[in-house]
């Protein structure tokens, strides 16, 4: 239709004189409801939503993090808890959501920001926000898949089939990028009125340093010296230090609904239960969070057997209304997680702002507070489950795994790095062990075959059981 209008107007303009019609002709080809260049703020909003929703999504069709850590079990269809990652193409779905729907929007936002009218300081802060969010998504990808397309991604004019970069090289570059971007932030100026921190650049900076803390801790067993300097510099520069500073995507329940709500309530399906491992572990420790998180059956908590059919649904404990709200935020880098990371850092001998014991108490206390547990019950719990310096990996690992319930990706990092709690491969598993990574997207073997095959060969096989470079124990 636009071309027809343009042609007809062109014929009129020839008779009246081209100069008199040129500006009108140009304006009539603009569609105000569908601008040719989207505002960078809109693109950021899309990326924030897509990355948050799909990192936090419990659907069997996506990342399956909650099954990788065995915190959740299934009812009638146990394929995903038997580690079938083929039928529903979860690797492809997660890969595409992060690259196409998340990173691609950030990249375009960076380009579009160049053409927007802003003061220098505001533009700097907006670019910093985009950069930090991009780093966050890259961190998810590299810790999900391992080696990934990175340096040549989104350069279709140079590389239609991007190479897969070494995961540690990506780590080093992400740390370098965090240091560079945090140095540019202007705390006294505004940024985007974004959906996470509403333009508070001090919070964006603390978030960036908290990503750096994550990266640094993951390096602990493979490069202790780099791990120590990375972690200590992140903490010294300021990491998330309160729940108000946590990286949360808040859902309004209308335009955006929580992915847990969508899968547990709006779907009308009863597919997920707390696992027997979760219930047994928490019961043994007399954990008061169970009263907040789960329902009882016959006056007791009963978890579903991981990797098996658990039917009927009503015979088992279920996730309580605490998780079922349409407005339940996706808390993807929480204050409790940061506190546990600092406790682990201290246990490894790093300067972390306190002793391992005091930071452990801080972490557990924050998880209890976040989940509405009283101070008295928290004190009782800590007295029953004190920090164990002689077996700090178990002490911190189990408590972090519990605290990260319903925060699947964060939990997976702890279980892979600390190897607690001990996760047993279910008898009917499709794999030879529990998953340590997600295999590459099947579409990559069609669209980028040579590079993805080389990447799989390099890491020891494109299998879910191949450990990431930093997962040494």
């Amino acid at each position: 239709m636009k071309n027809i209008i343009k042609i007809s107007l062109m014929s009129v303009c020839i008779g009246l004189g081209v100069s008199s019609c040129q500006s009108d002709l140009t304006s009539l080809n603009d569609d105000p409801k569908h601008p040719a260049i989207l505002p960078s703020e809109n693109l950021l909003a899309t990326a924030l939503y897509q990355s948050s929703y799909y990192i936090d999504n419990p659907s069997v069709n996506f990342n399956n993090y909650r099954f990788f850590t065995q915190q959740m079990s299934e009812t009638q269809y146990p394929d995903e808890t038997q580690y079938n990652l083929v039928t529903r193409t979860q690797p492809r779905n997660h890969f595409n959501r992060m690259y196409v729907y998340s990173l691609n929007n950030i990249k375009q936002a960076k380009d579009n920001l160049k053409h927007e009218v802003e003061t220098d300081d505001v533009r700097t802060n907006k670019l910093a926000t985009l950069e930090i969010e991009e780093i966050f998504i890259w961190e998810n990808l590299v810790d999900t898949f391992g080696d990934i397309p990175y340096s040549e991604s989104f350069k279709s004019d140079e590389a239609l089939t991007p190479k897969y970069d070494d995961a540690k090289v990506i780590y080093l570059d992400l740390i370098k990028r965090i240091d560079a971007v945090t140095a540019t932030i202007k705390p006294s100026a505004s940024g985007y009125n974004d959906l996470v921190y509403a333009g508070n650049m001090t919070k964006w900076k603390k978030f960036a340093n908290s990503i750096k803390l994550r990266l640094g801790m993951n390096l602990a067993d493979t490069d202790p010296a780099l791990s120590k300097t990375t972690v200590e510099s992140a903490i010294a520069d300021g990491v998330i230090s309160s729940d108000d500073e946590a990286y949360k995507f808040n859902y309004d329940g209308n335009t955006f609904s929580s992915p847990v709500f969508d899968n547990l309530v709006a779907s009308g399906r009863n597919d997920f239960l707390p696992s027997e491992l979760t219930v047994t572990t928490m019961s043994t420790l007399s954990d008061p969070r169970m009263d907040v998180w789960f329902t009882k059956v016959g006056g007791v908590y009963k978890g579903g057997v991981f990797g098996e059919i658990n039917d009927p649904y009503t015979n088992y404990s279920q996730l309580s209304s605490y998780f079922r709200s349409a407005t339940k935020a996706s808390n993807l880098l929480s204050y409790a997680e940061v506190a546990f990371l600092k406790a682990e850092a201290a246990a490894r001998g790093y300067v972390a702002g306190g002793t391992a014991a005091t930071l452990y108490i801080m972490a557990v206390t924050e998880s209890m507070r976040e989940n509405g547990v009283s101070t008295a019950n928290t004190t009782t719990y800590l007295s029953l489950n004190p920090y164990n310096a002689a077996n700090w990996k178990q002490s911190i690992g189990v408590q972090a795994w519990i605290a990260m319930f319903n925060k699947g990706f964060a939990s997976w990092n702890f279980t892979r790095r600390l190897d607690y709690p001990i996760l047993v491969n279910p008898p009917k598993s499709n794999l030879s062990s529990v998953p340590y990574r997600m295999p590459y997207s099947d579409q990559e073997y069609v669209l980028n075959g040579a590079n993805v095959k080389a990447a799989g060969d390099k890491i020891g096989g494109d299998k879910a059981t191949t450990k990431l470079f930093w997962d040494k124990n």
Side-chain angles (χ1 to χ4, degrees):
M1 177 62 76
K2 287 183 186 177
N3 288 336
I4 293 172
I5 292 172
K6 187 171 181 177
I7 291 168
S8 355
L9 284 172
M10 196 68 89
S11 62
V12 173
C13 285
I14 290 171
L16 296 177
V18 173
S19 60
S20 64
C21 288
Q22 188 170 12
S23 60
D24 289 340
L25 181 70
T26 303
S27 64
L28 283 170
N29 277 279
D30 290 337
D31 183 350
K33 294 185 178 179
H34 300 89
I37 299 179
L38 282 172
S40 61
E41 186 167 8
N42 293 37
L43 292 163
L44 170 62
T46 300
L48 288 170
Y49 169 71
Q50 288 287 333
S51 58
S52 297
Y53 188 93
Y54 287 100
I55 289 174
D56 193 32
N57 200 323
S59 168
V60 294
N61 297 302
F62 287 93
N63 58 63
N64 286 189
Y65 294 138
R66 290 167 177 83
F67 300 141
F68 293 170
T69 58
Q70 299 188 0
Q71 292 179 320
M72 301 283 287
S73 59
E74 294 177 282
T75 53
Q76 293 179 313
Y77 309 103
D79 288 2
E80 290 68 41
T81 50
Q82 294 171 359
Y83 298 137
N84 179 343
L85 299 173
V86 177
T87 302
R88 295 182 184 275
T89 63
Q90 295 96 327
R92 178 206 304 179
N93 298 337
H94 187 70
F95 187 91
N96 288 347
R97 285 292 167 181
M98 293 303 107
Y99 273 96
V100 179
Y101 294 84
S102 302
L103 286 174
N104 187 53
N105 279 300
I106 294 293
K107 293 288 188 181
Q108 189 61 56
K110 285 183 174 181
D111 289 340
N112 292 5
L113 178 60
K114 298 172 186 175
H115 307 289
E116 296 170 5
V117 178
E118 297 289 0
T119 64
D120 289 344
D121 284 357
V122 170
R123 184 185 304 278
T124 296
N125 283 347
K126 287 186 172 182
L127 184 60
T129 298
L130 294 170
E131 173 73 351
I132 294 166
E133 179 62 18
E134 182 182 333
I135 290 167
F136 177 60
I137 299 165
W138 282 123
E139 185 253 333
N140 173 264
L141 281 165
V142 73
D143 284 335
T144 297
F145 295 99
D147 293 8
I148 51 172
Y150 178 72
S151 62
E152 293 181 354
S153 290
F154 306 102
K155 295 180 179 179
S156 58
D157 54 333
E158 301 174 22
L160 284 172
T161 54
K163 70 177 182 179
Y164 278 61
D165 293 89
D166 179 83
K168 185 172 181 182
V169 171
I170 297 171
Y171 255 59
L172 298 178
D173 192 58
L174 293 179
I175 292 167
K176 181 180 177 181
R177 288 172 67 173
I178 291 170
D179 289 342
V181 71
T182 53
T184 69
I185 288 173
K186 313 293 183 183
S188 60
S190 64
Y192 289 108
N193 184 26
D194 63 86
L195 297 171
V196 176
Y197 291 126
N200 186 316
M201 297 311 299
T202 298
K203 291 181 181 180
W204 273 105
K205 182 175 181 179
K206 287 191 172 187
F207 171 54
N209 282 323
S210 299
I211 301 169
K212 183 178 174 182
L213 173 62
R214 259 188 184 176
L215 293 167
M217 286 312 308
N218 280 347
L219 291 168
D221 291 327
T222 189
D223 195 334
L226 177 60
S227 172
K228 187 174 188 292
T229 57
T230 301
V231 167
E232 290 181 349
S233 64
I235 293 171
D237 198 39
V239 293
I240 290 168
S241 58
S242 70
D243 182 59
D244 180 59
E245 295 169 351
Y247 180 91
K248 299 179 187 177
F249 189 92
N250 292 291
Y251 302 93
D252 62 8
N254 295 308
T255 306
F256 304 116
S257 293
S258 158
V260 179
F261 168 84
D262 284 346
N263 282 272
L264 267 65
V265 181
S267 68
R269 298 182 62 89
N270 296 319
D271 292 332
F272 308 116
L273 301 166
S275 70
E276 187 177 53
L277 177 63
T278 298
V279 169
T280 300
T281 302
M282 295 181 74
S283 294
T284 301
L285 300 175
S286 301
D287 197 317
R289 285 168 289 196
M290 297 179 74
D291 294 332
V292 180
W293 292 348
F294 311 135
T295 63
K296 290 181 178 180
V297 179
V300 298
Y301 295 108
K302 183 179 179 182
V305 179
F306 189 83
E308 299 289 343
I309 293 173
N310 297 283
D311 194 46
Y313 177 72
T314 51
N315 282 4
Y316 300 87
S317 294
Q318 301 158 22
L319 294 186
S320 73
S321 59
Y322 179 78
F323 295 112
R324 292 173 176 270
S325 169
T327 59
K328 181 70 174 177
S330 291
N331 193 349
L332 298 178
L333 215 168
S334 64
Y335 174 38
E337 179 185 352
V338 169
F340 275 112
L341 289 170
K342 290 172 69 176
E344 181 184 341
R348 292 180 183 272
Y350 303 176
V351 177
T355 66
T358 58
L359 291 167
Y360 167 90
I361 291 171
M362 182 187 300
V364 173
T365 300
E366 170 54 23
S367 177
M368 295 292 179
R369 186 214 59 77
E370 177 189 323
N371 291 286
V373 175
S374 70
T375 301
N377 286 342
T378 300
T379 301
T380 300
Y381 182 80
L382 284 166
S383 69
L384 294 172
N385 303 285
Y387 173 68
N388 181 2
N391 195 352
W392 63 266
K393 283 192 173 184
Q394 180 183 38
S395 192
I396 293 173
V398 171
Q399 290 298 331
W401 177 78
I402 295 171
M404 297 303 110
F405 183 82
N406 201 46
K407 300 179 178 71
F409 178 67
S411 179
W412 197 29
N413 278 338
F414 278 104
T415 59
R416 288 182 291 178
R417 190 175 60 251
L418 296 179
D419 300 300
Y420 283 101
I422 297 170
L423 303 179
V424 178
N425 198 29
K428 297 177 183 176
S429 176
N430 287 269
L431 305 177
S432 59
S433 75
V434 298
Y436 298 111
R437 62 179 287 274
M438 187 173 277
Y440 294 128
S441 165
D442 60 317
Q443 283 185 332
E444 280 288 277
Y445 284 91
V446 177
L447 303 174
N448 194 12
N451 286 320
V452 71
K453 184 181 183 304
D457 292 343
K458 172 183 170 294
I459 64 174
D462 180 18
K463 300 174 290 188
T465 55
T466 300
K467 290 191 173 186
L468 300 186
F469 80 95
W470 52 260
D471 187 3
K472 290 295 185 182
N473 298 320

